[in-house]
PDB file of all heavy atoms in Angstrom:
ATOM      1  N   LYS A  97      18.637 -14.357  -8.066  1.00  0.00           N
ATOM      2  CA  LYS A  97      18.895 -14.028  -9.471  1.00  0.00           C
ATOM      3  C   LYS A  97      18.335 -12.669  -9.866  1.00  0.00           C
ATOM      4  O   LYS A  97      19.012 -11.864 -10.495  1.00  0.00           O
ATOM      5  CB  LYS A  97      18.270 -15.094 -10.381  1.00  0.00           C
ATOM      6  CG  LYS A  97      18.943 -16.453 -10.315  1.00  0.00           C
ATOM      7  CD  LYS A  97      18.683 -17.219 -11.606  1.00  0.00           C
ATOM      8  CE  LYS A  97      19.446 -18.526 -11.664  1.00  0.00           C
ATOM      9  NZ  LYS A  97      18.692 -19.616 -11.003  1.00  0.00           N
ATOM     10  N   ASP A  98      17.064 -12.437  -9.540  1.00  0.00           N
ATOM     11  CA  ASP A  98      16.384 -11.234 -10.028  1.00  0.00           C
ATOM     12  C   ASP A  98      16.360 -10.149  -8.963  1.00  0.00           C
ATOM     13  O   ASP A  98      16.394 -10.430  -7.764  1.00  0.00           O
ATOM     14  CB  ASP A  98      14.946 -11.575 -10.446  1.00  0.00           C
ATOM     15  CG  ASP A  98      14.924 -12.631 -11.537  1.00  0.00           C
ATOM     16  OD1 ASP A  98      15.829 -12.595 -12.397  1.00  0.00           O
ATOM     17  OD2 ASP A  98      14.025 -13.488 -11.512  1.00  0.00           O
ATOM     18  N   ALA A  99      16.270  -8.911  -9.452  1.00  0.00           N
ATOM     19  CA  ALA A  99      16.364  -7.772  -8.538  1.00  0.00           C
ATOM     20  C   ALA A  99      15.060  -6.979  -8.462  1.00  0.00           C
ATOM     21  O   ALA A  99      14.267  -6.936  -9.404  1.00  0.00           O
ATOM     22  CB  ALA A  99      17.497  -6.854  -8.961  1.00  0.00           C
ATOM     23  N   VAL A 100      14.879  -6.371  -7.284  1.00  0.00           N
ATOM     24  CA  VAL A 100      13.794  -5.430  -7.032  1.00  0.00           C
ATOM     25  C   VAL A 100      14.438  -4.064  -6.893  1.00  0.00           C
ATOM     26  O   VAL A 100      15.441  -3.933  -6.190  1.00  0.00           O
ATOM     27  CB  VAL A 100      13.089  -5.801  -5.703  1.00  0.00           C
ATOM     28  CG1 VAL A 100      12.120  -4.708  -5.279  1.00  0.00           C
ATOM     29  CG2 VAL A 100      12.384  -7.142  -5.825  1.00  0.00           C
ATOM     30  N   MET A 101      13.887  -3.053  -7.582  1.00  0.00           N
ATOM     31  CA  MET A 101      14.449  -1.718  -7.426  1.00  0.00           C
ATOM     32  C   MET A 101      13.572  -0.872  -6.506  1.00  0.00           C
ATOM     33  O   MET A 101      12.347  -0.857  -6.645  1.00  0.00           O
ATOM     34  CB  MET A 101      14.597  -1.034  -8.779  1.00  0.00           C
ATOM     35  CG  MET A 101      15.244   0.329  -8.639  1.00  0.00           C
ATOM     36  SD  MET A 101      15.625   1.045 -10.215  1.00  0.00           S
ATOM     37  CE  MET A 101      17.081   0.134 -10.643  1.00  0.00           C
ATOM     38  N   VAL A 102      14.220  -0.200  -5.565  1.00  0.00           N
ATOM     39  CA  VAL A 102      13.501   0.690  -4.652  1.00  0.00           C
ATOM     40  C   VAL A 102      14.184   2.052  -4.651  1.00  0.00           C
ATOM     41  O   VAL A 102      15.368   2.164  -5.002  1.00  0.00           O
ATOM     42  CB  VAL A 102      13.450   0.130  -3.209  1.00  0.00           C
ATOM     43  CG1 VAL A 102      12.643  -1.148  -3.147  1.00  0.00           C
ATOM     44  CG2 VAL A 102      14.858  -0.108  -2.660  1.00  0.00           C
ATOM     45  N   CYS A 103      13.441   3.081  -4.267  1.00  0.00           N
ATOM     46  CA  CYS A 103      13.959   4.457  -4.299  1.00  0.00           C
ATOM     47  C   CYS A 103      13.887   5.089  -2.914  1.00  0.00           C
ATOM     48  O   CYS A 103      12.926   5.791  -2.595  1.00  0.00           O
ATOM     49  CB  CYS A 103      13.156   5.285  -5.302  1.00  0.00           C
ATOM     50  SG  CYS A 103      13.143   4.563  -6.953  1.00  0.00           S
ATOM     51  N   PRO A 104      14.877   4.828  -2.068  1.00  0.00           N
ATOM     52  CA  PRO A 104      14.860   5.365  -0.700  1.00  0.00           C
ATOM     53  C   PRO A 104      15.089   6.876  -0.670  1.00  0.00           C
ATOM     54  O   PRO A 104      15.724   7.396  -1.594  1.00  0.00           O
ATOM     55  CB  PRO A 104      16.039   4.648  -0.024  1.00  0.00           C
ATOM     56  CG  PRO A 104      16.481   3.565  -0.971  1.00  0.00           C
ATOM     57  CD  PRO A 104      16.089   4.021  -2.328  1.00  0.00           C
ATOM     58  N   PRO A 105      14.668   7.589   0.367  1.00  0.00           N
ATOM     59  CA  PRO A 105      13.926   7.041   1.501  1.00  0.00           C
ATOM     60  C   PRO A 105      12.469   6.746   1.136  1.00  0.00           C
ATOM     61  O   PRO A 105      11.771   7.624   0.640  1.00  0.00           O
ATOM     62  CB  PRO A 105      13.997   8.166   2.538  1.00  0.00           C
ATOM     63  CG  PRO A 105      14.196   9.423   1.744  1.00  0.00           C
ATOM     64  CD  PRO A 105      14.953   9.023   0.514  1.00  0.00           C
ATOM     65  N   THR A 106      12.046   5.506   1.395  1.00  0.00           N
ATOM     66  CA  THR A 106      10.668   5.130   1.080  1.00  0.00           C
ATOM     67  C   THR A 106      10.183   4.061   2.047  1.00  0.00           C
ATOM     68  O   THR A 106      10.872   3.738   3.025  1.00  0.00           O
ATOM     69  CB  THR A 106      10.559   4.670  -0.397  1.00  0.00           C
ATOM     70  OG1 THR A 106       9.179   4.556  -0.753  1.00  0.00           O
ATOM     71  CG2 THR A 106      11.240   3.326  -0.639  1.00  0.00           C
ATOM     72  N   PHE A 107       9.023   3.516   1.787  1.00  0.00           N
ATOM     73  CA  PHE A 107       8.384   2.487   2.610  1.00  0.00           C
ATOM     74  C   PHE A 107       9.323   1.275   2.723  1.00  0.00           C
ATOM     75  O   PHE A 107       9.786   0.743   1.713  1.00  0.00           O
ATOM     76  CB  PHE A 107       7.083   2.085   1.931  1.00  0.00           C
ATOM     77  CG  PHE A 107       6.135   1.255   2.755  1.00  0.00           C
ATOM     78  CD1 PHE A 107       5.916   1.503   4.092  1.00  0.00           C
ATOM     79  CD2 PHE A 107       5.417   0.220   2.152  1.00  0.00           C
ATOM     80  CE1 PHE A 107       5.014   0.753   4.827  1.00  0.00           C
ATOM     81  CE2 PHE A 107       4.508  -0.538   2.879  1.00  0.00           C
ATOM     82  CZ  PHE A 107       4.309  -0.274   4.218  1.00  0.00           C
ATOM     83  N   LYS A 108       9.595   0.841   3.952  1.00  0.00           N
ATOM     84  CA  LYS A 108      10.584  -0.205   4.185  1.00  0.00           C
ATOM     85  C   LYS A 108      10.119  -1.600   3.776  1.00  0.00           C
ATOM     86  O   LYS A 108      10.937  -2.496   3.558  1.00  0.00           O
ATOM     87  CB  LYS A 108      10.967  -0.235   5.672  1.00  0.00           C
ATOM     88  CG  LYS A 108      11.834   0.933   6.101  1.00  0.00           C
ATOM     89  CD  LYS A 108      13.274   0.737   5.672  1.00  0.00           C
ATOM     90  CE  LYS A 108      14.159   1.731   6.425  1.00  0.00           C
ATOM     91  NZ  LYS A 108      15.562   1.449   6.337  1.00  0.00           N
ATOM     92  N   MET A 109       8.815  -1.778   3.688  1.00  0.00           N
ATOM     93  CA  MET A 109       8.297  -3.128   3.405  1.00  0.00           C
ATOM     94  C   MET A 109       8.799  -3.695   2.076  1.00  0.00           C
ATOM     95  O   MET A 109       8.920  -4.908   1.931  1.00  0.00           O
ATOM     96  CB  MET A 109       6.764  -3.139   3.406  1.00  0.00           C
ATOM     97  CG  MET A 109       6.113  -3.415   4.742  1.00  0.00           C
ATOM     98  SD  MET A 109       6.798  -4.827   5.624  1.00  0.00           S
ATOM     99  CE  MET A 109       6.233  -6.196   4.596  1.00  0.00           C
ATOM    100  N   TYR A 110       9.073  -2.815   1.083  1.00  0.00           N
ATOM    101  CA  TYR A 110       9.537  -3.338  -0.214  1.00  0.00           C
ATOM    102  C   TYR A 110      10.843  -4.099  -0.031  1.00  0.00           C
ATOM    103  O   TYR A 110      11.013  -5.195  -0.553  1.00  0.00           O
ATOM    104  CB  TYR A 110       9.737  -2.211  -1.240  1.00  0.00           C
ATOM    105  CG  TYR A 110       8.606  -1.200  -1.308  1.00  0.00           C
ATOM    106  CD1 TYR A 110       8.872   0.170  -1.382  1.00  0.00           C
ATOM    107  CD2 TYR A 110       7.275  -1.611  -1.294  1.00  0.00           C
ATOM    108  CE1 TYR A 110       7.846   1.102  -1.447  1.00  0.00           C
ATOM    109  CE2 TYR A 110       6.249  -0.674  -1.346  1.00  0.00           C
ATOM    110  CZ  TYR A 110       6.545   0.680  -1.411  1.00  0.00           C
ATOM    111  OH  TYR A 110       5.538   1.601  -1.457  1.00  0.00           O
ATOM    112  N   GLU A 111      11.748  -3.511   0.748  1.00  0.00           N
ATOM    113  CA  GLU A 111      13.043  -4.161   0.962  1.00  0.00           C
ATOM    114  C   GLU A 111      12.926  -5.384   1.859  1.00  0.00           C
ATOM    115  O   GLU A 111      13.607  -6.377   1.659  1.00  0.00           O
ATOM    116  CB  GLU A 111      14.048  -3.182   1.584  1.00  0.00           C
ATOM    117  CG  GLU A 111      14.601  -2.197   0.599  1.00  0.00           C
ATOM    118  CD  GLU A 111      15.905  -1.562   1.064  1.00  0.00           C
ATOM    119  OE1 GLU A 111      16.677  -2.216   1.800  1.00  0.00           O
ATOM    120  OE2 GLU A 111      16.147  -0.402   0.678  1.00  0.00           O
ATOM    121  N   VAL A 112      12.042  -5.286   2.863  1.00  0.00           N
ATOM    122  CA  VAL A 112      11.856  -6.425   3.760  1.00  0.00           C
ATOM    123  C   VAL A 112      11.308  -7.614   2.968  1.00  0.00           C
ATOM    124  O   VAL A 112      11.827  -8.732   3.057  1.00  0.00           O
ATOM    125  CB  VAL A 112      10.897  -6.066   4.929  1.00  0.00           C
ATOM    126  CG1 VAL A 112      10.541  -7.300   5.743  1.00  0.00           C
ATOM    127  CG2 VAL A 112      11.524  -4.995   5.818  1.00  0.00           C
TER     128      VAL A 112
END
Side-chain angles (χ1 to χ4, degrees):
K97 291 204 174 86
D98 301 324
V100 170
M101 183 172 283
V102 295
C103 304
T106 191
F107 193 40
K108 287 282 195 167
M109 270 312 290
Y110 314 136
E111 284 200 30
V112 172

